Amino acid sequence: MKAIFQKYGLVKIHKNRNSRDGIFHWTSAGFNRWLTNPVLCGHTAYLQRITTSKGKRKRNKPEDWQIIYDTHPEHRLITDAEAAEIQQILLFNSKTGHFSFNQHPNNPVCYREYAYQTGLVFCAECGSKCITKSAKHQQGMYYYFACRYAGMGCGNKKSTRKSTIENALINILVQRSQTLANQLDEQPTREQEKSEKLKQLESRLEALEKILGFDPDLEKLKQKIRLQIAEEINPFLCDSILNKSTEEIIRAGNHLAIWHTLSPDEKVKIYHQIVHQITIRNAEVEEVILKI
Ligand SMILES: [Zn+2]
C-alpha cells in the first residue's frame, strides 16, 4: 500500500470515510482483510462481527471466528497452504515494514516491476524456459521474454513484451474469478449496478486500450484511470465490506483494476501462488495455466 501511495502520489485522507467523495479510501487493513478472508479458501466464517455488552456491533478477533470448513470447496480461490503463506507474508511485512535484505533502505520496493514473471514464462513452440531481454527505445526501456533457442532450431523468433504478458495474465485471472463467482450464484445475476462515473471510466480505459503501440505517457494515463476505477469499486472500504455476502466479496476482488494496482512485491508473492505457467509465441501470450 505504501508503495502504491508513493508511486501514484496519493494522499490518504481520514475524514469522510463513509461518503463517496472520490477520495482514495483503499486501506491496507481492508486489503489484508480481503486477502485473509476464509471465504477465499472455500470456508465460511461466522461470528466475524459480534455485539458488545453495550449493544454495539464490532469486528470480532479472527481467532474467535467460528469457521465452518469446506462449505464450498470446489470454488476455492486459494488453498490452505497458500492462505498460510499469505498470513506469513502479512505478518513478516507487519514486523519489517516491507524491509528486506536486498533493498536500499530509502527504496521500499525490492522487486522490479515484472519480477514475478521470472520462472513462469515458457516457449509455446519448444517448451523451454524463456530468457529475459531488454531494448532501449526513444520512450524508454522495453522488457521482453524470448525463447532461448530462437533462431537456433526454434521457430518462435519474436520476443513477447512483459507488459503484454501482464495484461493477458490479468485478463485470465478476472475471467476465472468471474466464472467462479458465477458458479457460486446459479440464479441469474442481476447486472451489478454501476455508477455513471464507473461506466465513464471504463469506457475511457477501453478506448485507450485500443490505441496500438507503446507510449509510457499513455501507460501512465491508463494506470491513473485504473486507480480511479479501483477507487470507485473499492471493495475494501471499511464499512461497505461489512454488509457484503460471500459472493460479493469475491466478485469485488475480480476487477482488472485491483490486479493492476498491486505492488511488484505483492505480485511476486501472489502470482507465484496462483500461476503455474505462461506460454508465449511470436509476441503474443498463447496460454496461461493457473494452479486452480
Ligand atoms: Zn522455443
Side-chain angles (χ1 to χ4, degrees):
M1 285 308 287
K2 203 161 84 185
I4 294 171
F5 284 126
Q6 279 174 354
K7 188 165 174 188
Y8 300 107
L10 293 162
V11 183
K12 232 170 148 178
I13 291 179
H14 293 282
K15 62 173 183 176
N16 295 337
R17 191 163 258 187
N18 301 330
S19 67
R20 296 199 135 269
D21 51 8
I23 294 166
F24 197 69
H25 292 301
W26 191 344
T27 66
S28 50
F31 183 57
N32 287 358
R33 275 208 296 279
W34 180 76
L35 263 184
T36 54
N37 197 310
V39 155
L40 299 178
C41 294
H43 312 317
T44 299
Y46 293 100
L47 302 179
Q48 289 191 45
R49 308 265 301 161
I50 48 169
T51 308
T52 63
S53 51
K54 289 179 186 153
K56 275 195 172 169
R57 296 287 286 166
K58 66 163 203 173
R59 267 186 81 75
N60 199 359
K61 282 181 287 187
E63 55 268 33
D64 293 335
W65 292 0
Q66 183 190 352
I67 296 174
I68 311 296
Y69 290 93
D70 295 320
T71 48
H72 48 284
E74 67 277 29
H75 300 131
R76 68 190 302 153
L77 293 175
I78 298 176
T79 66
D80 287 335
E82 288 161 357
E85 166 83 349
I86 289 172
Q87 294 273 16
Q88 280 294 314
I89 296 158
L90 294 176
L91 184 67
F92 179 80
N93 285 346
S94 69
K95 283 186 180 157
T96 59
H98 276 277
F99 179 80
S100 99
F101 298 109
N102 58 355
Q103 71 179 356
H104 193 271
N106 295 330
N107 178 9
V109 176
C110 52
Y111 284 105
R112 284 168 186 262
E113 192 173 6
Y114 299 112
Y116 70 91
Q117 293 179 6
T118 305
L120 294 178
V121 183
F122 291 78
C123 172
E125 184 145 333
C126 71
S128 61
K129 193 178 266 188
C130 288
I131 51 169
T132 179
K133 277 187 164 182
S134 61
K136 208 171 175 184
H137 284 245
Q138 262 185 333
Q139 298 98 319
M141 293 295 283
Y142 284 1
Y143 298 96
Y144 305 88
F145 271 106
C147 176
R148 61 182 66 226
Y149 301 114
M152 295 183 289
C154 181
N156 180 6
K157 290 190 183 149
K158 215 171 162 209
S159 0
T160 306
R161 209 173 272 166
K162 292 185 181 181
S163 58
T164 306
I165 296 174
E166 175 156 294
N167 288 334
L169 169 62
I170 290 176
N171 282 325
I172 294 283
L173 280 171
V174 171
Q175 277 171 24
R176 180 68 68 91
S177 309
Q178 280 168 353
T179 311
L180 290 169
N182 288 339
Q183 285 168 359
L184 271 181
D185 183 8
E186 304 206 306
Q187 288 133 16
T189 44
R190 103 190 125 87
E191 176 73 8
Q192 257 183 319
E193 282 176 40
K194 290 183 178 178
S195 70
E196 278 308 308
K197 191 177 170 198
L198 181 58
K199 283 184 206 159
Q200 259 177 29
L201 288 168
E202 284 185 334
S203 59
R204 266 186 79 191
L205 185 60
E206 206 180 321
L208 290 173
E209 276 169 348
K210 284 192 186 128
I211 301 171
L212 297 174
F214 183 82
D215 174 358
D217 288 337
L218 189 63
E219 289 305 309
K220 271 184 213 150
L221 185 59
K222 283 196 236 171
Q223 190 64 5
K224 194 179 141 200
I225 296 173
R226 286 183 192 121
L227 277 170
Q228 287 172 331
I229 292 173
E231 177 192 310
E232 270 298 299
I233 55 157
N234 182 359
F236 311 120
L237 210 159
C238 297
D239 285 5
S240 74
I241 202 157
L242 305 175
N243 303 319
K244 286 196 191 304
S245 71
T246 306
E247 269 164 51
E248 285 169 329
I249 295 170
I250 294 176
R251 224 183 277 147
N254 290 343
H255 202 283
L256 290 172
I258 290 162
W259 298 109
H260 275 294
T261 48
L262 290 173
S263 76
D265 284 22
E266 289 163 337
K267 285 176 183 175
V268 167
K269 288 298 178 187
I270 294 168
Y271 290 150
H272 276 241
Q273 307 267 343
I274 59 180
V275 181
H276 174 63
Q277 184 176 301
I278 299 168
T279 60
I280 55 168
R281 191 194 297 266
N282 291 326
E284 301 285 347
V285 170
E286 185 154 302
E287 195 181 12
V288 174
I289 306 168
L290 300 179
K291 288 183 179 172
I292 52 164

